[in-house]
Amino acid sequence: SATASGVVHEMTRFNAVLAVALCARASAFGVPSRVTAARVSRRAVCMSNDKAVVRQYFNTEGFDRWNRIYSEDGEVNSVQKDIRNGHQQTVDKILAWIDADANIAEKTVCDAGCGVGSLALPLAARGARVTASDISDAMVAEAARRADLAPGLAIKPEFFASDLSALSGKYNTVTCVDVMIHYPTEEMAGMVAHLASLAEKRLIISFAPKTWYYDLLKGFGGLFPGPSKTTRAYLHPEEDVVAALAAAGFSTRRTEMTGTNFYFSRLLEAERD
């Protein structure tokens, strides 16, 4: 079991996973155009910095930590194990939807922010033609290694490193699991719109929902300083995500919620209208 200090250390990671550190955003009230332009510029710089920090983190210490969490045999403490179980529950819920529909074989899938392949590999095992990307070269390399070791993959996923905004192409289904937490509130709708532009039929996304309870937990995590707070993290109101999907021409079909002690994720499946 985790020691008290281990729990506190993971609480700092919990804060990094669920905390909100909003970048500067333009006021909704009347302000001089030069002030608005300056604030928009700061948002662009903030977003660029976020991406650089996320890329660096998941290529170094973040990769070591999360590769263990996403490995069944990786050595973890009780809090990390709870996060592992929560993430796997989200993956399992997606796969349950896929299995219930029983039509993924030979369909094209884009898994954006694939990590170590937790979803891409079981989708490929079900016959999907998977293209999977991650901002981290280390994560992509590990996912490809796992694909090489996975039995029974008739068609292995194509893994490559890419920022989500640089993705292109058309796919029957687009999935993006636990990635929106790295996108500021004002960037979320644009990210959803871009993902939707890649999806011919279906978009499956998950995000940390913004509620008073999770805000409270985030605040508690913020009381513990530590090196784990490397990346900014953002919660998103569910109604805002649903509205962004609707604006992109998608209607929500199924929803799920995964909540463990240290992992919280709202899962939405949307189909093109």
Side-chain angles (χ1 to χ4, degrees):
S1 61
T3 63
S5 62
V7 171
V8 169
H9 176 76
E10 281 308 313
M11 277 304 299
T12 66
R13 176 58 194 166
F14 164 73
N15 184 62
V17 173
L18 288 179
V20 177
L22 294 177
C23 302
R25 55 189 304 183
S27 172
F29 302 101
V31 295
S33 60
R34 63 180 180 277
V35 176
T36 301
R39 290 177 178 173
V40 170
S41 177
R42 285 198 297 273
R43 285 205 306 271
V45 171
C46 183
M47 187 60 193
S48 177
N49 289 342
D50 278 351
K51 291 179 181 179
V53 170
V54 168
R55 182 182 293 108
Q56 174 67 17
Y57 175 74
F58 283 105
N59 274 325
T60 53
E61 63 171 303
F63 169 73
D64 293 334
R65 177 177 291 116
W66 290 95
N67 188 35
R68 289 197 309 272
I69 291 175
Y70 294 151
S71 302
E72 292 183 3
D73 56 352
E75 183 177 347
V76 294
N77 61 39
S78 61
V79 178
Q80 291 170 331
K81 185 175 181 179
D82 179 87
I83 295 171
R84 172 194 288 171
N85 291 339
H87 177 76
Q88 187 59 49
Q89 287 178 36
T90 294
V91 171
D92 289 343
K93 288 169 182 176
I94 295 173
L95 295 176
W97 288 345
I98 297 294
D99 291 343
D101 293 341
N103 62 359
I104 199 64
E106 298 298 323
K107 298 291 176 56
T108 55
V109 176
C110 171
D111 186 20
C114 65
V116 297
S118 303
L119 178 60
L121 294 178
L123 286 176
R126 287 163 168 75
R129 297 181 178 273
V130 181
T131 299
S133 64
D134 197 275
I135 197 170
S136 164
D137 294 279
M139 288 286 188
V140 167
E142 173 62 17
R145 186 191 71 83
R146 295 187 183 198
D148 288 338
L149 298 176
L153 286 185
I155 303 176
K156 292 181 181 179
E158 175 190 353
F159 292 104
F160 64 98
S162 175
D163 173 21
L164 186 150
S165 63
L167 296 178
S168 61
K170 292 292 184 181
Y171 306 87
N172 175 270
T173 298
V174 174
T175 61
C176 188
V177 179
D178 294 349
V179 175
M180 287 175 62
I181 197 163
H182 300 299
Y183 282 76
T185 303
E186 62 270 19
E187 301 288 342
M188 179 275 295
M191 189 201 81
V192 170
H194 180 61
L195 291 172
S197 73
L198 307 175
E200 293 178 335
K201 181 178 180 181
R202 175 170 51 187
L203 176 57
I204 298 174
I205 56 178
S206 73
F207 56 96
K210 182 175 176 61
T211 67
W212 70 266
Y213 179 65
Y214 296 146
D215 273 342
L216 182 65
L217 290 178
K218 172 269 299 180
F220 177 71
L223 297 176
F224 299 97
S228 293
K229 295 180 192 175
T230 305
T231 61
R232 292 184 177 94
Y234 305 90
L235 310 181
H236 301 288
E238 182 175 351
E239 59 269 25
D240 290 356
V241 179
V242 171
L245 287 166
F250 281 76
S251 297
T252 304
R253 178 187 177 200
R254 292 182 282 210
T255 68
E256 281 281 2
M257 179 68 198
T258 300
T260 64
N261 291 327
F262 295 93
Y263 175 94
F264 308 94
S265 183
R266 170 65 77 183
L267 180 64
L268 303 179
E269 179 196 48
E271 290 188 341
R272 187 172 291 280
D273 295 333

